[in-house]
Amino acid sequence: MQRPALSAVAELLKPITWFPPMWAFSCGVVASGMPAEGRWPLIVAGVLLAGPFVCATSQAVNDWFDRHVDAINEPQRPIPSGRMPGHWGLYIAIIWTLLSLLLAWQLGPAGFAAAGFGLLLAWAYSAPPLRLKRNGWWGNAACGLCYEGLAWITGAAVMAMGQWPDGRSLVLALLYSAGAHGIMTLNDFKSIKGDQQMGIDSLPVMLGAGSAAYVASIVMATPQAIVALLLWHWGQGWHGLAVAGLLVVQLLMMKRFIAQPLARAVWYSGAGVPLYVSGMLVSAFALRGIVS
């Protein structure tokens, strides 16, 4: 049986996509308010779980079940190009799922539960019969929750030695998950042609590029505004002001993105999303100041 080259395997697992969940996990660690001393092995294991395992699994699953769409949109990808022969894409997705569960088992009940739920979402997003990505509302919600909220919750749970995080931490994790729905929409602008042909109702397909850009911007901005107000209410006014400041800059960038969504979706994803995730870390430090 022909085996794929290691370079093709690495491309399938898309290391560039690992950063958001690893960052979210780290935010959960910070938000817990717990000292890192004595927990570094768990923290490192959790960061690896969030990125090179769970996120990488989701990428492999998505590429396998999207191979026909990728043949239209990105024929150079490992599977449609033939560099990932036979059923190797599926085999790698299954192997990485099992490895992720094995690593998650080392992080305690809450960490294992969060990671397990994230893996279920990863398969439900791409694989039939659910294939949530066929609908932009459901699919992007699943991705946002998996990449941001569950990773944050896992980080906080690991620091609490398996206990569920503080309620305020859960609220912020869910708010940033909701905002990530808009971030996922940014990725759909580049795939409109293939999605239309394959019957995938992403938001740009359903709403049109202009309306989808408005929706994505509102979905990203609203949770951040709520976070800023909550931080102010919790006595962390400077942190809330910092989140609000980052949001203002994003709003200015969103105006340019909305004016030309097809041309600027990739630009905004690269320039605006770092400001979004910076606000996550600011919020995590605000919670650390409350609970520590």
Side-chain angles (χ1 to χ4, degrees), residues 233-270:
H233 176 69
W234 293 337
Q236 300 296 308
W238 287 112
H239 293 84
L241 187 62
V243 171
L246 290 167
L247 175 57
V248 168
V249 178
Q250 291 172 71
L251 291 173
L252 295 174
M253 299 174 71
M254 286 174 185
K255 184 178 179 181
R256 294 195 70 229
F257 161 56
I258 290 171
Q260 292 183 295
L262 292 177
R264 293 175 177 162
V266 174
W267 165 78
Y268 184 75
S269 182

PDB file of all heavy atoms in Angstrom, residues 233-270:
ATOM      1  N   HIS A 233     -18.208  45.685  35.133  1.00  0.00           N
ATOM      2  CA  HIS A 233     -19.139  45.347  36.219  1.00  0.00           C
ATOM      3  C   HIS A 233     -18.441  44.544  37.309  1.00  0.00           C
ATOM      4  O   HIS A 233     -18.787  44.679  38.498  1.00  0.00           O
ATOM      5  CB  HIS A 233     -20.318  44.556  35.640  1.00  0.00           C
ATOM      6  CG  HIS A 233     -21.289  44.079  36.676  1.00  0.00           C
ATOM      7  ND1 HIS A 233     -22.112  44.936  37.398  1.00  0.00           N
ATOM      8  CD2 HIS A 233     -21.584  42.826  37.132  1.00  0.00           C
ATOM      9  CE1 HIS A 233     -22.864  44.244  38.228  1.00  0.00           C
ATOM     10  NE2 HIS A 233     -22.553  42.968  38.094  1.00  0.00           N
ATOM     11  N   TRP A 234     -17.461  43.738  36.934  1.00  0.00           N
ATOM     12  CA  TRP A 234     -16.745  42.902  37.906  1.00  0.00           C
ATOM     13  C   TRP A 234     -15.594  43.643  38.570  1.00  0.00           C
ATOM     14  O   TRP A 234     -14.781  43.041  39.265  1.00  0.00           O
ATOM     15  CB  TRP A 234     -16.218  41.642  37.215  1.00  0.00           C
ATOM     16  CG  TRP A 234     -17.309  40.710  36.754  1.00  0.00           C
ATOM     17  CD1 TRP A 234     -18.580  40.632  37.245  1.00  0.00           C
ATOM     18  CD2 TRP A 234     -17.215  39.736  35.704  1.00  0.00           C
ATOM     19  NE1 TRP A 234     -19.288  39.661  36.573  1.00  0.00           N
ATOM     20  CE2 TRP A 234     -18.473  39.098  35.623  1.00  0.00           C
ATOM     21  CE3 TRP A 234     -16.200  39.338  34.824  1.00  0.00           C
ATOM     22  CZ2 TRP A 234     -18.746  38.089  34.697  1.00  0.00           C
ATOM     23  CZ3 TRP A 234     -16.465  38.338  33.897  1.00  0.00           C
ATOM     24  CH2 TRP A 234     -17.723  37.723  33.846  1.00  0.00           C
ATOM     25  N   GLY A 235     -15.494  44.933  38.353  1.00  0.00           N
ATOM     26  CA  GLY A 235     -14.455  45.724  38.993  1.00  0.00           C
ATOM     27  C   GLY A 235     -13.122  45.714  38.287  1.00  0.00           C
ATOM     28  O   GLY A 235     -12.104  46.100  38.872  1.00  0.00           O
ATOM     29  N   GLN A 236     -13.100  45.293  37.036  1.00  0.00           N
ATOM     30  CA  GLN A 236     -11.873  45.249  36.246  1.00  0.00           C
ATOM     31  C   GLN A 236     -11.980  46.263  35.110  1.00  0.00           C
ATOM     32  O   GLN A 236     -11.896  45.923  33.923  1.00  0.00           O
ATOM     33  CB  GLN A 236     -11.638  43.829  35.710  1.00  0.00           C
ATOM     34  CG  GLN A 236     -11.504  42.771  36.788  1.00  0.00           C
ATOM     35  CD  GLN A 236     -10.281  42.993  37.663  1.00  0.00           C
ATOM     36  OE1 GLN A 236      -9.172  43.142  37.172  1.00  0.00           O
ATOM     37  NE2 GLN A 236     -10.482  43.009  38.972  1.00  0.00           N
ATOM     38  N   GLY A 237     -12.178  47.525  35.497  1.00  0.00           N
ATOM     39  CA  GLY A 237     -12.458  48.570  34.528  1.00  0.00           C
ATOM     40  C   GLY A 237     -11.359  48.788  33.504  1.00  0.00           C
ATOM     41  O   GLY A 237     -11.645  49.004  32.321  1.00  0.00           O
ATOM     42  N   TRP A 238     -10.086  48.755  33.929  1.00  0.00           N
ATOM     43  CA  TRP A 238      -8.993  48.974  32.989  1.00  0.00           C
ATOM     44  C   TRP A 238      -8.930  47.862  31.948  1.00  0.00           C
ATOM     45  O   TRP A 238      -8.676  48.124  30.768  1.00  0.00           O
ATOM     46  CB  TRP A 238      -7.667  49.090  33.729  1.00  0.00           C
ATOM     47  CG  TRP A 238      -7.517  50.382  34.479  1.00  0.00           C
ATOM     48  CD1 TRP A 238      -7.490  50.564  35.827  1.00  0.00           C
ATOM     49  CD2 TRP A 238      -7.394  51.689  33.907  1.00  0.00           C
ATOM     50  NE1 TRP A 238      -7.359  51.894  36.147  1.00  0.00           N
ATOM     51  CE2 TRP A 238      -7.292  52.614  34.994  1.00  0.00           C
ATOM     52  CE3 TRP A 238      -7.350  52.180  32.605  1.00  0.00           C
ATOM     53  CZ2 TRP A 238      -7.162  53.980  34.786  1.00  0.00           C
ATOM     54  CZ3 TRP A 238      -7.210  53.544  32.409  1.00  0.00           C
ATOM     55  CH2 TRP A 238      -7.122  54.429  33.488  1.00  0.00           C
ATOM     56  N   HIS A 239      -9.160  46.646  32.401  1.00  0.00           N
ATOM     57  CA  HIS A 239      -9.181  45.534  31.448  1.00  0.00           C
ATOM     58  C   HIS A 239     -10.367  45.674  30.485  1.00  0.00           C
ATOM     59  O   HIS A 239     -10.227  45.421  29.278  1.00  0.00           O
ATOM     60  CB  HIS A 239      -9.268  44.195  32.186  1.00  0.00           C
ATOM     61  CG  HIS A 239      -8.038  43.868  32.979  1.00  0.00           C
ATOM     62  ND1 HIS A 239      -7.821  44.354  34.258  1.00  0.00           N
ATOM     63  CD2 HIS A 239      -6.947  43.103  32.687  1.00  0.00           C
ATOM     64  CE1 HIS A 239      -6.668  43.895  34.715  1.00  0.00           C
ATOM     65  NE2 HIS A 239      -6.117  43.141  33.774  1.00  0.00           N
ATOM     66  N   GLY A 240     -11.515  46.071  31.037  1.00  0.00           N
ATOM     67  CA  GLY A 240     -12.670  46.287  30.177  1.00  0.00           C
ATOM     68  C   GLY A 240     -12.418  47.384  29.157  1.00  0.00           C
ATOM     69  O   GLY A 240     -12.816  47.279  27.987  1.00  0.00           O
ATOM     70  N   LEU A 241     -11.719  48.443  29.574  1.00  0.00           N
ATOM     71  CA  LEU A 241     -11.389  49.529  28.663  1.00  0.00           C
ATOM     72  C   LEU A 241     -10.434  49.056  27.573  1.00  0.00           C
ATOM     73  O   LEU A 241     -10.541  49.455  26.398  1.00  0.00           O
ATOM     74  CB  LEU A 241     -10.762  50.679  29.450  1.00  0.00           C
ATOM     75  CG  LEU A 241     -10.499  51.975  28.678  1.00  0.00           C
ATOM     76  CD1 LEU A 241     -11.814  52.559  28.155  1.00  0.00           C
ATOM     77  CD2 LEU A 241      -9.787  52.988  29.571  1.00  0.00           C
ATOM     78  N   ALA A 242      -9.503  48.179  27.931  1.00  0.00           N
ATOM     79  CA  ALA A 242      -8.565  47.641  26.939  1.00  0.00           C
ATOM     80  C   ALA A 242      -9.298  46.802  25.896  1.00  0.00           C
ATOM     81  O   ALA A 242      -9.033  46.909  24.691  1.00  0.00           O
ATOM     82  CB  ALA A 242      -7.493  46.794  27.637  1.00  0.00           C
ATOM     83  N   VAL A 243     -10.238  45.959  26.351  1.00  0.00           N
ATOM     84  CA  VAL A 243     -11.032  45.157  25.410  1.00  0.00           C
ATOM     85  C   VAL A 243     -11.839  46.074  24.496  1.00  0.00           C
ATOM     86  O   VAL A 243     -11.937  45.853  23.277  1.00  0.00           O
ATOM     87  CB  VAL A 243     -11.954  44.182  26.169  1.00  0.00           C
ATOM     88  CG1 VAL A 243     -12.932  43.497  25.215  1.00  0.00           C
ATOM     89  CG2 VAL A 243     -11.123  43.134  26.913  1.00  0.00           C
ATOM     90  N   ALA A 244     -12.433  47.127  25.079  1.00  0.00           N
ATOM     91  CA  ALA A 244     -13.208  48.083  24.277  1.00  0.00           C
ATOM     92  C   ALA A 244     -12.317  48.784  23.255  1.00  0.00           C
ATOM     93  O   ALA A 244     -12.721  49.007  22.100  1.00  0.00           O
ATOM     94  CB  ALA A 244     -13.875  49.110  25.194  1.00  0.00           C
ATOM     95  N   GLY A 245     -11.089  49.151  23.646  1.00  0.00           N
ATOM     96  CA  GLY A 245     -10.168  49.789  22.721  1.00  0.00           C
ATOM     97  C   GLY A 245      -9.811  48.890  21.556  1.00  0.00           C
ATOM     98  O   GLY A 245      -9.767  49.327  20.396  1.00  0.00           O
ATOM     99  N   LEU A 246      -9.540  47.613  21.842  1.00  0.00           N
ATOM    100  CA  LEU A 246      -9.256  46.655  20.782  1.00  0.00           C
ATOM    101  C   LEU A 246     -10.455  46.501  19.851  1.00  0.00           C
ATOM    102  O   LEU A 246     -10.298  46.358  18.628  1.00  0.00           O
ATOM    103  CB  LEU A 246      -8.883  45.299  21.384  1.00  0.00           C
ATOM    104  CG  LEU A 246      -7.537  45.228  22.111  1.00  0.00           C
ATOM    105  CD1 LEU A 246      -7.436  43.945  22.933  1.00  0.00           C
ATOM    106  CD2 LEU A 246      -6.385  45.306  21.111  1.00  0.00           C
ATOM    107  N   LEU A 247     -11.653  46.555  20.419  1.00  0.00           N
ATOM    108  CA  LEU A 247     -12.870  46.442  19.616  1.00  0.00           C
ATOM    109  C   LEU A 247     -13.031  47.645  18.687  1.00  0.00           C
ATOM    110  O   LEU A 247     -13.428  47.493  17.525  1.00  0.00           O
ATOM    111  CB  LEU A 247     -14.088  46.303  20.525  1.00  0.00           C
ATOM    112  CG  LEU A 247     -15.458  46.293  19.833  1.00  0.00           C
ATOM    113  CD1 LEU A 247     -15.538  45.179  18.792  1.00  0.00           C
ATOM    114  CD2 LEU A 247     -16.574  46.141  20.862  1.00  0.00           C
ATOM    115  N   VAL A 248     -12.725  48.830  19.180  1.00  0.00           N
ATOM    116  CA  VAL A 248     -12.838  50.032  18.344  1.00  0.00           C
ATOM    117  C   VAL A 248     -11.949  49.911  17.106  1.00  0.00           C
ATOM    118  O   VAL A 248     -12.360  50.232  15.980  1.00  0.00           O
ATOM    119  CB  VAL A 248     -12.480  51.295  19.161  1.00  0.00           C
ATOM    120  CG1 VAL A 248     -12.316  52.500  18.235  1.00  0.00           C
ATOM    121  CG2 VAL A 248     -13.553  51.576  20.201  1.00  0.00           C
ATOM    122  N   VAL A 249     -10.728  49.454  17.291  1.00  0.00           N
ATOM    123  CA  VAL A 249      -9.826  49.271  16.150  1.00  0.00           C
ATOM    124  C   VAL A 249     -10.413  48.256  15.174  1.00  0.00           C
ATOM    125  O   VAL A 249     -10.380  48.442  13.945  1.00  0.00           O
ATOM    126  CB  VAL A 249      -8.425  48.836  16.618  1.00  0.00           C
ATOM    127  CG1 VAL A 249      -7.508  48.601  15.428  1.00  0.00           C
ATOM    128  CG2 VAL A 249      -7.823  49.877  17.551  1.00  0.00           C
ATOM    129  N   GLN A 250     -10.977  47.175  15.722  1.00  0.00           N
ATOM    130  CA  GLN A 250     -11.593  46.173  14.850  1.00  0.00           C
ATOM    131  C   GLN A 250     -12.770  46.752  14.074  1.00  0.00           C
ATOM    132  O   GLN A 250     -12.966  46.430  12.890  1.00  0.00           O
ATOM    133  CB  GLN A 250     -12.070  44.981  15.683  1.00  0.00           C
ATOM    134  CG  GLN A 250     -10.961  44.136  16.273  1.00  0.00           C
ATOM    135  CD  GLN A 250     -11.500  43.098  17.233  1.00  0.00           C
ATOM    136  OE1 GLN A 250     -12.137  42.137  16.819  1.00  0.00           O
ATOM    137  NE2 GLN A 250     -11.252  43.293  18.522  1.00  0.00           N
ATOM    138  N   LEU A 251     -13.556  47.592  14.711  1.00  0.00           N
ATOM    139  CA  LEU A 251     -14.707  48.190  14.025  1.00  0.00           C
ATOM    140  C   LEU A 251     -14.261  49.025  12.825  1.00  0.00           C
ATOM    141  O   LEU A 251     -14.912  49.011  11.765  1.00  0.00           O
ATOM    142  CB  LEU A 251     -15.514  49.046  15.001  1.00  0.00           C
ATOM    143  CG  LEU A 251     -16.275  48.279  16.093  1.00  0.00           C
ATOM    144  CD1 LEU A 251     -16.888  49.247  17.102  1.00  0.00           C
ATOM    145  CD2 LEU A 251     -17.360  47.387  15.479  1.00  0.00           C
ATOM    146  N   LEU A 252     -13.163  49.740  12.985  1.00  0.00           N
ATOM    147  CA  LEU A 252     -12.635  50.514  11.863  1.00  0.00           C
ATOM    148  C   LEU A 252     -12.192  49.589  10.725  1.00  0.00           C
ATOM    149  O   LEU A 252     -12.399  49.893   9.540  1.00  0.00           O
ATOM    150  CB  LEU A 252     -11.464  51.378  12.332  1.00  0.00           C
ATOM    151  CG  LEU A 252     -11.809  52.480  13.356  1.00  0.00           C
ATOM    152  CD1 LEU A 252     -10.532  53.154  13.854  1.00  0.00           C
ATOM    153  CD2 LEU A 252     -12.760  53.505  12.743  1.00  0.00           C
ATOM    154  N   MET A 253     -11.588  48.470  11.089  1.00  0.00           N
ATOM    155  CA  MET A 253     -11.164  47.503  10.077  1.00  0.00           C
ATOM    156  C   MET A 253     -12.360  46.803   9.450  1.00  0.00           C
ATOM    157  O   MET A 253     -12.356  46.504   8.241  1.00  0.00           O
ATOM    158  CB  MET A 253     -10.207  46.486  10.710  1.00  0.00           C
ATOM    159  CG  MET A 253      -8.945  47.109  11.278  1.00  0.00           C
ATOM    160  SD  MET A 253      -7.905  45.920  12.165  1.00  0.00           S
ATOM    161  CE  MET A 253      -7.290  44.952  10.822  1.00  0.00           C
ATOM    162  N   MET A 254     -13.381  46.536  10.255  1.00  0.00           N
ATOM    163  CA  MET A 254     -14.592  45.897   9.723  1.00  0.00           C
ATOM    164  C   MET A 254     -15.247  46.763   8.649  1.00  0.00           C
ATOM    165  O   MET A 254     -15.812  46.241   7.675  1.00  0.00           O
ATOM    166  CB  MET A 254     -15.586  45.633  10.862  1.00  0.00           C
ATOM    167  CG  MET A 254     -15.212  44.497  11.771  1.00  0.00           C
ATOM    168  SD  MET A 254     -16.353  44.365  13.192  1.00  0.00           S
ATOM    169  CE  MET A 254     -15.568  43.047  14.130  1.00  0.00           C
ATOM    170  N   LYS A 255     -15.183  48.076   8.817  1.00  0.00           N
ATOM    171  CA  LYS A 255     -15.764  48.977   7.820  1.00  0.00           C
ATOM    172  C   LYS A 255     -15.104  48.769   6.462  1.00  0.00           C
ATOM    173  O   LYS A 255     -15.783  48.716   5.419  1.00  0.00           O
ATOM    174  CB  LYS A 255     -15.600  50.427   8.288  1.00  0.00           C
ATOM    175  CG  LYS A 255     -16.253  51.446   7.365  1.00  0.00           C
ATOM    176  CD  LYS A 255     -16.097  52.850   7.915  1.00  0.00           C
ATOM    177  CE  LYS A 255     -16.738  53.872   6.980  1.00  0.00           C
ATOM    178  NZ  LYS A 255     -16.576  55.266   7.502  1.00  0.00           N
ATOM    179  N   ARG A 256     -13.793  48.623   6.458  1.00  0.00           N
ATOM    180  CA  ARG A 256     -13.072  48.356   5.197  1.00  0.00           C
ATOM    181  C   ARG A 256     -13.418  46.972   4.656  1.00  0.00           C
ATOM    182  O   ARG A 256     -13.585  46.789   3.449  1.00  0.00           O
ATOM    183  CB  ARG A 256     -11.563  48.451   5.407  1.00  0.00           C
ATOM    184  CG  ARG A 256     -11.049  49.840   5.744  1.00  0.00           C
ATOM    185  CD  ARG A 256      -9.527  49.908   5.568  1.00  0.00           C
ATOM    186  NE  ARG A 256      -9.151  49.842   4.169  1.00  0.00           N
ATOM    187  CZ  ARG A 256      -8.213  49.036   3.678  1.00  0.00           C
ATOM    188  NH1 ARG A 256      -7.555  48.205   4.494  1.00  0.00           N
ATOM    189  NH2 ARG A 256      -7.908  49.042   2.399  1.00  0.00           N
ATOM    190  N   PHE A 257     -13.523  45.997   5.546  1.00  0.00           N
ATOM    191  CA  PHE A 257     -13.854  44.632   5.127  1.00  0.00           C
ATOM    192  C   PHE A 257     -15.237  44.580   4.497  1.00  0.00           C
ATOM    193  O   PHE A 257     -15.430  43.981   3.428  1.00  0.00           O
ATOM    194  CB  PHE A 257     -13.766  43.705   6.347  1.00  0.00           C
ATOM    195  CG  PHE A 257     -14.491  42.399   6.201  1.00  0.00           C
ATOM    196  CD1 PHE A 257     -14.205  41.538   5.148  1.00  0.00           C
ATOM    197  CD2 PHE A 257     -15.462  42.016   7.124  1.00  0.00           C
ATOM    198  CE1 PHE A 257     -14.877  40.321   5.019  1.00  0.00           C
ATOM    199  CE2 PHE A 257     -16.129  40.823   6.997  1.00  0.00           C
ATOM    200  CZ  PHE A 257     -15.840  39.971   5.947  1.00  0.00           C
ATOM    201  N   ILE A 258     -16.217  45.229   5.108  1.00  0.00           N
ATOM    202  CA  ILE A 258     -17.582  45.204   4.594  1.00  0.00           C
ATOM    203  C   ILE A 258     -17.677  45.877   3.227  1.00  0.00           C
ATOM    204  O   ILE A 258     -18.480  45.479   2.373  1.00  0.00           O
ATOM    205  CB  ILE A 258     -18.539  45.879   5.608  1.00  0.00           C
ATOM    206  CG1 ILE A 258     -18.682  44.986   6.845  1.00  0.00           C
ATOM    207  CG2 ILE A 258     -19.913  46.150   4.997  1.00  0.00           C
ATOM    208  CD1 ILE A 258     -19.416  45.646   7.998  1.00  0.00           C
ATOM    209  N   ALA A 259     -16.830  46.879   2.999  1.00  0.00           N
ATOM    210  CA  ALA A 259     -16.857  47.576   1.710  1.00  0.00           C
ATOM    211  C   ALA A 259     -16.454  46.662   0.558  1.00  0.00           C
ATOM    212  O   ALA A 259     -16.983  46.785  -0.557  1.00  0.00           O
ATOM    213  CB  ALA A 259     -15.935  48.796   1.762  1.00  0.00           C
ATOM    214  N   GLN A 260     -15.540  45.723   0.802  1.00  0.00           N
ATOM    215  CA  GLN A 260     -15.089  44.783  -0.225  1.00  0.00           C
ATOM    216  C   GLN A 260     -14.828  43.413   0.410  1.00  0.00           C
ATOM    217  O   GLN A 260     -13.685  43.002   0.587  1.00  0.00           O
ATOM    218  CB  GLN A 260     -13.822  45.288  -0.915  1.00  0.00           C
ATOM    219  CG  GLN A 260     -13.998  46.525  -1.773  1.00  0.00           C
ATOM    220  CD  GLN A 260     -12.720  46.912  -2.485  1.00  0.00           C
ATOM    221  OE1 GLN A 260     -11.713  47.274  -1.869  1.00  0.00           O
ATOM    222  NE2 GLN A 260     -12.744  46.817  -3.802  1.00  0.00           N
ATOM    223  N   PRO A 261     -15.889  42.698   0.767  1.00  0.00           N
ATOM    224  CA  PRO A 261     -15.703  41.452   1.531  1.00  0.00           C
ATOM    225  C   PRO A 261     -14.932  40.369   0.787  1.00  0.00           C
ATOM    226  O   PRO A 261     -14.112  39.664   1.392  1.00  0.00           O
ATOM    227  CB  PRO A 261     -17.136  41.012   1.835  1.00  0.00           C
ATOM    228  CG  PRO A 261     -17.985  41.725   0.830  1.00  0.00           C
ATOM    229  CD  PRO A 261     -17.299  43.016   0.553  1.00  0.00           C
ATOM    230  N   LEU A 262     -15.167  40.201  -0.494  1.00  0.00           N
ATOM    231  CA  LEU A 262     -14.469  39.146  -1.226  1.00  0.00           C
ATOM    232  C   LEU A 262     -12.976  39.430  -1.319  1.00  0.00           C
ATOM    233  O   LEU A 262     -12.152  38.516  -1.204  1.00  0.00           O
ATOM    234  CB  LEU A 262     -15.063  39.001  -2.631  1.00  0.00           C
ATOM    235  CG  LEU A 262     -16.497  38.459  -2.696  1.00  0.00           C
ATOM    236  CD1 LEU A 262     -16.992  38.443  -4.137  1.00  0.00           C
ATOM    237  CD2 LEU A 262     -16.579  37.064  -2.098  1.00  0.00           C
ATOM    238  N   ALA A 263     -12.634  40.676  -1.499  1.00  0.00           N
ATOM    239  CA  ALA A 263     -11.227  41.029  -1.650  1.00  0.00           C
ATOM    240  C   ALA A 263     -10.506  41.125  -0.319  1.00  0.00           C
ATOM    241  O   ALA A 263      -9.278  40.941  -0.264  1.00  0.00           O
ATOM    242  CB  ALA A 263     -11.105  42.362  -2.400  1.00  0.00           C
ATOM    243  N   ARG A 264     -11.252  41.399   0.773  1.00  0.00           N
ATOM    244  CA  ARG A 264     -10.590  41.712   2.040  1.00  0.00           C
ATOM    245  C   ARG A 264     -10.868  40.718   3.166  1.00  0.00           C
ATOM    246  O   ARG A 264     -10.459  40.957   4.296  1.00  0.00           O
ATOM    247  CB  ARG A 264     -10.998  43.115   2.490  1.00  0.00           C
ATOM    248  CG  ARG A 264     -10.457  44.208   1.572  1.00  0.00           C
ATOM    249  CD  ARG A 264     -10.951  45.576   1.951  1.00  0.00           C
ATOM    250  NE  ARG A 264     -10.348  46.601   1.101  1.00  0.00           N
ATOM    251  CZ  ARG A 264     -10.820  47.831   0.951  1.00  0.00           C
ATOM    252  NH1 ARG A 264     -11.911  48.204   1.614  1.00  0.00           N
ATOM    253  NH2 ARG A 264     -10.235  48.698   0.145  1.00  0.00           N
ATOM    254  N   ALA A 265     -11.544  39.614   2.887  1.00  0.00           N
ATOM    255  CA  ALA A 265     -11.822  38.633   3.942  1.00  0.00           C
ATOM    256  C   ALA A 265     -10.524  38.057   4.505  1.00  0.00           C
ATOM    257  O   ALA A 265     -10.355  37.939   5.724  1.00  0.00           O
ATOM    258  CB  ALA A 265     -12.717  37.519   3.410  1.00  0.00           C
ATOM    259  N   VAL A 266      -9.613  37.697   3.622  1.00  0.00           N
ATOM    260  CA  VAL A 266      -8.332  37.141   4.078  1.00  0.00           C
ATOM    261  C   VAL A 266      -7.541  38.212   4.825  1.00  0.00           C
ATOM    262  O   VAL A 266      -6.915  37.938   5.851  1.00  0.00           O
ATOM    263  CB  VAL A 266      -7.532  36.591   2.885  1.00  0.00           C
ATOM    264  CG1 VAL A 266      -6.140  36.154   3.337  1.00  0.00           C
ATOM    265  CG2 VAL A 266      -8.264  35.420   2.245  1.00  0.00           C
ATOM    266  N   TRP A 267      -7.569  39.444   4.306  1.00  0.00           N
ATOM    267  CA  TRP A 267      -6.874  40.545   4.982  1.00  0.00           C
ATOM    268  C   TRP A 267      -7.417  40.741   6.393  1.00  0.00           C
ATOM    269  O   TRP A 267      -6.638  40.852   7.352  1.00  0.00           O
ATOM    270  CB  TRP A 267      -7.054  41.840   4.189  1.00  0.00           C
ATOM    271  CG  TRP A 267      -6.695  43.067   4.982  1.00  0.00           C
ATOM    272  CD1 TRP A 267      -5.451  43.547   5.251  1.00  0.00           C
ATOM    273  CD2 TRP A 267      -7.615  43.955   5.642  1.00  0.00           C
ATOM    274  NE1 TRP A 267      -5.531  44.686   6.036  1.00  0.00           N
ATOM    275  CE2 TRP A 267      -6.844  44.955   6.293  1.00  0.00           C
ATOM    276  CE3 TRP A 267      -9.007  44.014   5.744  1.00  0.00           C
ATOM    277  CZ2 TRP A 267      -7.430  45.985   7.037  1.00  0.00           C
ATOM    278  CZ3 TRP A 267      -9.590  45.040   6.477  1.00  0.00           C
ATOM    279  CH2 TRP A 267      -8.803  46.017   7.110  1.00  0.00           C
ATOM    280  N   TYR A 268      -8.739  40.779   6.536  1.00  0.00           N
ATOM    281  CA  TYR A 268      -9.287  41.012   7.865  1.00  0.00           C
ATOM    282  C   TYR A 268      -9.015  39.837   8.800  1.00  0.00           C
ATOM    283  O   TYR A 268      -8.749  40.017   9.992  1.00  0.00           O
ATOM    284  CB  TYR A 268     -10.794  41.286   7.817  1.00  0.00           C
ATOM    285  CG  TYR A 268     -11.323  41.617   9.187  1.00  0.00           C
ATOM    286  CD1 TYR A 268     -11.064  42.862   9.748  1.00  0.00           C
ATOM    287  CD2 TYR A 268     -11.998  40.673   9.960  1.00  0.00           C
ATOM    288  CE1 TYR A 268     -11.481  43.168  11.030  1.00  0.00           C
ATOM    289  CE2 TYR A 268     -12.415  40.975  11.229  1.00  0.00           C
ATOM    290  CZ  TYR A 268     -12.159  42.213  11.765  1.00  0.00           C
ATOM    291  OH  TYR A 268     -12.558  42.508  13.047  1.00  0.00           O
ATOM    292  N   SER A 269      -9.057  38.635   8.253  1.00  0.00           N
ATOM    293  CA  SER A 269      -8.748  37.459   9.080  1.00  0.00           C
ATOM    294  C   SER A 269      -7.335  37.546   9.634  1.00  0.00           C
ATOM    295  O   SER A 269      -7.088  37.211  10.801  1.00  0.00           O
ATOM    296  CB  SER A 269      -8.924  36.187   8.251  1.00  0.00           C
ATOM    297  OG  SER A 269      -8.676  35.038   9.027  1.00  0.00           O
ATOM    298  N   GLY A 270      -6.408  38.018   8.810  1.00  0.00           N
ATOM    299  CA  GLY A 270      -5.023  38.109   9.253  1.00  0.00           C
ATOM    300  C   GLY A 270      -4.726  39.292  10.141  1.00  0.00           C
ATOM    301  O   GLY A 270      -3.855  39.221  11.013  1.00  0.00           O
TER     302      GLY A 270
END
